[in-house]
């Protein structure tokens, strides 16, 4: 078995075991299981980092043309943001979202490889790396805001109905902590999403001499940006907090997942992996204006 295959098994096993033990620890009220689950998730993240390094070292710049690399990198980004929030806020609860999402996306990266759907060569390069890097960090921040928003709404309903907090409910952080995650995610995520979107349009102009093509992926990305901009404005300048911002963060992340998973695979778009089966690498050439 190659080093790459060994790392794949280690990453998957550590992530899956970490997510399972974390969930069992929360439901059963066993802090020891939660800590063990977090430890395994950290180990999985270390293996995952090594896996990305091996992939890049073995393929060089060609890794940047692989759908496998980008899906794996997105899974890695989710956990990077989760660990940062865990370090700053001691918010273990977000691991219930981050670890399962990392497992799903990491497995998705292997599905892309199995069906041989490489990204076209035109999507490589440092400028596209800026586009992808900024967007992935923004999406990861949105995921954490979504998880914190769901926890906020759940806990708020429990408090309003005066239900006794037990089991899973007792493991949730205070409402103010959930709201803090939302504020941080919005404050950092919107500028990153803006950079990612603008760099993508500039890169498209340099590559195809066309900024906007009315592609479903581009239209959805602009819709996400508008909603994100509204949340950013209401949150930071008008003082929105609590239930409204929690709900909006959940909707924005949901739309982002539709863009990432549904449009990329099942709709006609020049961002789609399905257009490049069996190594085809040419993007559509639009008529010049």
């Amino acid at each position: 078995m190659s080093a790459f295959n060994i790392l794949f098994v280690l990453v998957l096993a550590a992530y899956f075991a970490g997510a399972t033990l974390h969930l069992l620890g929360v439901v059963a009220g066993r802090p020891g299981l939660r800590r063990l689950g977090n430890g395994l998730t950290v180990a999985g993240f270390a293996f995952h980092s090594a896996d990305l390094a091996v992939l890049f070292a073995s393929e060089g710049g060609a890794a940047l043309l692989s759908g496998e690399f980008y899906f794996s990198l997105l899974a890695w980004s989710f956990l990077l943001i989760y660990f940062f929030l865990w370090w700053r806020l001691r918010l273990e609860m977000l691991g219930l979202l981050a670890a399962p999402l990392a497992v799903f996306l990491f497995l998705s990266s292997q599905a892309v490889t199995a069906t041989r759907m490489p990204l076209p060569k035109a999507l490589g390069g440092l400028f596209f790396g800026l586009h992808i890097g900024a967007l992935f960090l923004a999406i990861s921040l949105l995921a954490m805001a979504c998880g914190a928003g769901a926890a906020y709404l759940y806990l708020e309903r429990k408090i309003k109905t005066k239900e006794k907090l037990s089991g899973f409910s007792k493991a949730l952080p205070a409402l103010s902590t959930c709201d803090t995650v939302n504020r941080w995610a919005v404050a950092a995520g919107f500028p990153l999403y803006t950079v990612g979107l603008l760099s993508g349009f500039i890169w498209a102009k340099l590559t195809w001499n066309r900024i906007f093509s009315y592609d479903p992926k581009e239209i959805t990305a602009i819709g996400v940006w508008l909603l994100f901009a509204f949340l950013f404005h209401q949150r930071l300048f008008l003082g929105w907090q609590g239930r409204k911002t929690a709900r909006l963060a959940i909707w924005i992340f949901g739309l982002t997942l539709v863009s990432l998973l549904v449009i990329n695979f099942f709709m006609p778009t020049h961002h789609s992996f399905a257009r490049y089966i069996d190594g085809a690498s040419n993007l559509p050439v639009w008529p010049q204006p």
Side-chain angles (χ1 to χ4, degrees):
M1 182 179 289
S2 68
F4 184 79
N5 290 331
I6 292 173
L7 283 171
F8 167 74
V9 172
L10 288 174
V11 172
L12 191 59
Y15 280 168
F16 183 78
T20 302
L21 288 174
H22 191 100
L23 178 60
L24 289 175
V26 169
V27 173
R30 300 283 296 276
L33 285 179
R34 290 207 312 268
R35 286 193 294 271
L36 180 57
N38 279 326
L40 286 171
T41 303
V42 171
F45 183 76
F47 293 137
H48 196 166
S49 302
D51 181 71
L52 287 171
V54 168
L55 178 62
F56 191 80
S58 63
E59 299 187 11
L64 298 178
L65 308 178
S66 166
E68 172 193 6
F69 181 82
Y70 286 108
F71 267 78
S72 183
L73 184 63
L74 180 57
W76 186 87
S77 299
F78 275 129
L79 287 171
L80 178 67
I81 296 300
Y82 161 61
F83 289 138
F84 175 77
L85 292 175
W86 181 21
W87 170 60
R88 291 303 303 269
L89 299 175
R90 300 302 177 193
L91 204 56
E92 293 184 1
M93 175 271 304
L94 290 177
L96 292 175
L97 174 68
L101 268 176
V103 171
F104 174 75
L105 290 171
F106 187 68
L107 282 175
S108 297
S109 74
Q110 301 305 305
V112 170
T113 302
T115 51
R116 296 194 307 277
M117 296 179 182
L119 291 173
K121 291 181 180 179
L123 297 188
L126 292 177
F127 202 81
F128 188 69
L130 172 64
H131 170 61
I132 287 294
L135 285 180
F136 278 11
L137 289 176
I139 292 171
S140 300
L141 285 163
L142 267 176
M144 297 303 103
C146 174
Y152 184 99
L153 296 175
Y154 176 81
L155 188 59
E156 184 189 49
R157 183 181 63 81
K158 285 278 189 181
I159 293 173
K160 283 187 174 181
T161 57
K162 298 182 179 179
E163 294 183 44
K164 183 179 179 180
L165 299 181
S166 59
F168 175 76
S169 302
K170 289 183 67 176
L172 294 177
L175 292 177
S176 59
T177 303
C178 294
D179 194 61
T180 297
V181 173
N182 184 286
R183 186 177 72 249
W184 284 17
V186 171
F190 176 69
L192 283 169
Y193 196 89
T194 302
V195 169
L197 202 62
L198 286 177
S199 60
F201 286 135
I202 295 172
W203 166 81
K205 175 64 176 177
L206 296 174
T207 303
W208 300 313
N209 197 30
R210 187 174 183 132
I211 294 177
F212 191 73
S213 61
Y214 298 96
D215 184 87
K217 180 80 170 182
E218 295 169 354
I219 294 172
T220 306
I222 289 177
V224 170
W225 184 86
L226 290 172
L227 288 172
F228 213 164
F230 177 73
L231 177 58
F232 181 82
H233 178 267
Q234 300 300 102
R235 167 101 240 188
L236 270 68
F237 295 99
L238 295 186
W240 270 23
Q241 56 183 345
R243 188 188 311 118
K244 290 181 180 179
T245 57
R247 286 176 175 168
L248 192 50
I250 292 171
W251 278 104
I252 295 173
F253 180 64
L255 184 57
T256 302
L257 285 183
V258 169
S259 174
L260 180 68
L261 300 177
V262 177
I263 294 178
N264 267 353
F265 284 100
F266 301 109
M267 293 188 68
T269 164
H270 62 266
H271 291 80
S272 173
F273 293 117
R275 293 181 63 91
Y276 311 111
I277 298 175
D278 296 327
S281 60
N282 292 322
L283 286 170
V285 178
W286 294 290
Q288 296 301 312

